Amino acid sequence: MTKISVLGSGGWGTAIALLLASKGNSVKLWSFLEEETKELTEYRENKRYLPGIEIPENVEFLSDMEEAVKDAEVIVSAVPSKGVAGTSAALAKYINVKKQILVSVSKGLDADTYKRLSEIIKENIPGVRLAILSGPSHAEEVARKMATTNVVAADEKKVAEKVQDLFMCDFFRVYI
């Protein structure tokens, strides 16, 4: 069992949390909105983005970023592209770049600078062990365990292999 923190409780973050929890991991799902955290805790469902899909008990909901990431072996950033700069800047205060791996599953470019999101993250968190996971996948399909495939890239091959192993399952194939 791996301790994982997913930053971003929208549809994609919730789907990623469901995927990782289905593999028996301990998952913390962080939202910057306390109201959203309360709603997820009460209903164990993301009624706004993934209605009708139950969130299992091995997913914990938090709105305190420091608490969400402090024991995580892997942190997954699933915030929208417009939130990557702010979230990664905030995360820089809490992440242990020597021990924790950061996986970005956010899609797109930074709207202000047109930089890749990985560039923004590396600027905000120097020395981060970063992997990028991307592919033709949609939150509602992943949450419903529909088959798809993704690619993971990282500067360090062993980081990419760890992420591949963490995410790979019957319905979510990951290639380096």
Side-chain angles (χ1 to χ4, degrees):
M1 175 184 71
T2 303
K3 293 180 180 179
I4 303 166
S5 176
V6 178
L7 305 179
S9 59
W12 192 219
T14 303
I16 291 295
L18 288 164
L19 164 66
L20 295 168
S22 75
K23 293 189 66 183
N25 297 296
S26 170
V27 180
K28 292 181 180 179
L29 182 58
W30 172 83
S31 172
F32 72 96
L33 298 172
E34 195 170 326
E35 286 296 314
E36 190 171 63
T37 300
K38 288 178 183 176
E39 186 176 301
L40 290 166
T41 302
E42 181 179 349
Y43 297 107
R44 301 215 62 82
E45 175 185 349
N46 190 325
K47 289 180 179 273
R48 182 174 180 191
Y49 295 108
L50 297 172
I53 298 174
E54 184 179 340
I55 301 171
E57 293 298 321
N58 58 331
V59 177
E60 180 183 355
F61 308 104
L62 298 158
S63 56
D64 180 321
M65 183 184 287
E66 181 177 16
E67 183 67 25
V69 303
K70 74 176 181 181
D71 295 325
E73 297 166 58
V74 175
I75 301 166
V76 178
S77 176
V79 298
S81 59
K82 67 183 177 188
V84 168
T87 302
S88 61
L91 178 61
K93 295 179 270 190
Y94 309 120
I95 190 171
N96 182 332
V97 296
K98 292 186 184 345
K99 293 184 178 180
Q100 294 173 306
I101 293 172
L102 178 61
V103 181
S104 175
V105 298
S106 302
K107 299 175 183 181
L109 297 171
D110 182 77
D112 296 328
T113 64
Y114 301 110
K115 291 181 179 180
R116 292 184 318 273
L117 300 177
S118 59
E119 293 175 291
I120 300 295
I121 293 168
K122 287 180 175 183
E123 287 173 5
N124 286 332
I125 311 173
V128 67
R129 297 170 66 212
L130 180 64
I132 308 301
L133 181 74
S134 189
S137 48
H138 292 268
E140 65 281 358
E141 293 173 352
V142 172
R144 289 182 172 83
K145 299 182 178 182
M146 295 174 71
T148 192
T149 188
N150 275 238
V151 174
V152 62
D155 291 334
E156 298 175 51
K157 186 175 181 185
K158 69 179 189 177
V159 169
E161 290 170 342
K162 167 95 175 163
V163 173
Q164 179 187 40
D165 184 55
L166 192 63
F167 282 81
M168 182 83 84
C169 63
D170 291 345
F171 65 91
F172 196 88
R173 308 301 295 170
V174 180
Y175 299 96
I176 296 174

